Amino acid sequence: MAGIVESFKRGYEGRDSGRYAIGGKPVACSHCGGDKFDSGTALLNTRGLTFLGIDFVNRGANLLICTACTHVEWFLDEPQAL
Ligand SMILES: [Zn+2]
């Protein structure tokens, strides 16, 4: 799976608070409950995924990486920076 991550935007490089919301709810890490994340995107258009019949994700995915425990939360919609 190495190499699928296209880009990362470290929170400290911009004015981001590191907090995000999606679906009208603030994102919290499902592992440790942390609320600060680095964001990134991943392209999922791989032959393997298509073979598995889940090529609906071909448009890519948004990643939020918990800064406390590095757990990765995946979203198809783009999270809103808070
Ligand atoms: Zn966490």
Side-chain angles (χ1 to χ4, degrees):
M1 293 296 277
I4 65 167
V5 175
E6 262 197 326
S7 63
F8 277 92
K9 179 174 60 118
R10 301 290 296 192
Y12 58 77
E13 288 179 354
R15 288 168 296 183
D16 293 354
S17 65
R19 293 188 171 96
Y20 294 87
I22 193 158
K25 284 185 64 175
V27 178
C29 174
S30 61
H31 179 69
C32 77
D35 64 354
K36 293 193 176 172
F37 298 88
D38 290 326
S39 64
T41 57
L43 264 188
L44 300 178
N45 186 7
T46 68
R47 289 202 315 205
L49 288 168
T50 300
F51 177 75
L52 292 171
I54 53 173
D55 54 358
F56 66 90
V57 294
N58 276 356
R59 63 193 170 120
N62 297 281
L63 312 181
L64 292 179
I65 303 99
C66 176
T67 59
C69 75
T70 73
H71 176 78
V72 179
E73 302 279 358
W74 292 76
F75 299 96
L76 291 181
D77 288 336
E78 186 172 355
Q80 287 183 301
L82 296 179

